[in-house]
Amino acid sequence: MKIARRRSSAWALPGMVYALWLLAGTAIFVAPVHFHALTPGVALFGPFNAHFIRDVGLVYVASGLVGLYGVRSRNVPVGVAAALWSCLHAVFHLHVWVDRGWPLDGIFLFDLCLVIVPPFLVVLVLLTKRTEPETLP
């Protein structure tokens, strides 16, 4: 019984990340001006562009919804696929950090905690989960 509960709790972290992506994406879509003004580093990429920012918000919404479906159905490949865009987005942010000269500033800390680590952590947890035998409810 404890083993089944532990295996089930392995989905908790991905579920929380996917839920946060869904909420963040919705907030970005609904309030793109606030996202542009309040998110560290975003304004460095140029003037406000509602279309582009809302597109990013919708990608987060889609990733969150697909990821939550993967968690609900306990489908590891779907969960990993839901994190794919965010992993690529994280690689882009690492590239930007290198381009900026490796500064250890608030922008990098924000990116590290909210953009870079979560998708790779989700994928790591899910790929580790894949090696465990499935249990029936």
Side-chain angles (χ1 to χ4, degrees):
M1 190 70 143
K2 288 182 182 180
I3 293 172
R5 191 173 301 143
R6 190 190 92 231
R7 288 184 183 143
S8 179
S9 68
W11 289 94
L13 176 72
M16 287 188 301
V17 171
Y18 295 137
L20 288 172
W21 286 347
L22 176 60
L23 291 172
T26 302
I28 292 166
F29 182 80
V30 170
V33 173
H34 294 295
F35 174 77
H36 186 267
L38 300 175
T39 305
V42 170
L44 295 175
F45 286 96
F48 175 73
N49 181 332
H51 181 105
F52 177 72
I53 292 172
R54 283 191 165 125
D55 282 348
V56 170
L58 290 174
V59 173
Y60 271 111
V61 167
S63 293
L65 288 173
V66 171
L68 289 172
Y69 173 77
V71 168
R72 181 168 163 67
S73 63
R74 302 293 196 250
N75 189 317
V76 172
V78 169
V80 171
L84 181 60
W85 178 84
S86 289
C87 287
L88 296 172
H89 183 223
V91 169
F92 173 70
H93 276 252
L94 285 170
H95 171 75
V96 168
W97 179 58
V98 171
D99 263 5
R100 291 180 56 230
W102 309 78
L104 297 175
D105 57 4
I107 294 171
F108 177 69
L109 184 61
F110 180 88
D111 281 354
L112 186 67
C113 295
L114 296 176
V115 177
I116 297 168
V117 171
F120 289 111
L121 192 57
V122 164
V123 170
L124 179 66
V125 166
L126 291 177
L127 292 180
T128 302
K129 170 96 179 111
R130 187 177 185 101
T131 62
E132 297 177 1
E134 291 297 319
T135 58
L136 298 174

